[in-house]
Amino acid sequence: MRFTPPYLHSSFLYKTSRSGGKGGQNVNKLDTKVQIDFDVVNALILTLEEKRIIQEKLASKISADGFLQVVAQTERTQLANKLIAIKKMYALLNNCFLVKKQRKASKPTKASKERRLLDKKSRSLIKQLRNVAFD
């Protein structure tokens, strides 16, 4: 499944607050930090299987209330941070549903086996030469 805007916009809860860190004239006056909460448990748009996958893969980003949270505070305007937060949320959800390609086990080639055996023989010879007693 691929989530694209504005597929889930109606399910997002937006919260704004003052950004931390260094800033200029706006840092103590404007609410530029944007936090998006997405209620995974009660989302009507998602199937039970999709909810389970999100809860498993994004457990560290889901609060005790069942909200998936994303925060953006890098930009100086609330609108820019809101757009960044939305992109982050969709990226999280899209990456959650990617299926990893299964690895096929491969066998070593004949040449690699021969190289390994040749290397073992040369190591063995080096170690034998260390034990030669000189009279």
Side-chain angles (χ1 to χ4, degrees):
M1 158 165 257
R2 186 115 174 116
F3 293 108
T4 55
Y7 188 63
L8 295 173
H9 273 48
S10 59
S11 303
F12 292 165
L13 298 171
Y14 299 94
K15 295 179 186 173
T16 58
S17 59
R18 294 195 176 128
S19 291
K22 296 178 185 176
Q25 300 162 342
N26 294 338
V27 78
N28 294 323
K29 293 188 290 185
L30 301 177
D31 292 343
T32 56
K33 176 180 173 180
V34 176
Q35 176 180 334
I36 297 179
D37 293 338
F38 175 56
D39 190 0
V40 177
V41 178
N42 298 320
L44 299 174
I45 257 172
L46 300 175
T47 65
L48 290 173
E49 182 64 20
E50 290 170 343
K51 290 177 187 179
R52 185 189 61 75
I53 291 170
I54 291 172
Q55 287 172 335
E56 281 179 11
K57 292 191 176 180
L58 301 176
S60 63
K61 294 195 178 283
I62 296 178
S63 67
D65 303 333
F67 285 95
L68 178 62
Q69 297 178 333
V70 172
V71 176
Q73 61 179 356
T74 56
E75 299 299 319
R76 294 178 67 167
T77 64
Q78 191 181 101
L79 181 61
N81 283 330
K82 184 177 179 182
L83 294 174
I84 289 171
I86 290 170
K87 284 180 184 178
K88 278 185 181 181
M89 181 66 80
Y90 280 116
L92 265 178
L93 292 171
N94 285 328
N95 288 338
C96 190
F97 293 105
L98 288 178
V99 179
K100 287 188 178 180
K101 190 176 173 183
Q102 288 237 327
R103 182 188 176 276
K104 294 180 185 175
S106 59
K107 295 180 180 177
T109 62
K110 187 175 181 181
S112 67
K113 287 180 187 176
E114 289 174 2
R115 277 193 304 269
R116 183 181 60 85
L117 293 174
L118 189 63
D119 186 49
K120 283 177 78 165
K121 284 181 185 175
S122 64
R123 285 272 153 223
S124 172
L125 183 63
I126 289 169
K127 290 181 179 185
Q128 283 176 5
L129 290 175
R130 288 182 192 154
N131 294 331
V132 173
F134 294 102
D135 294 334

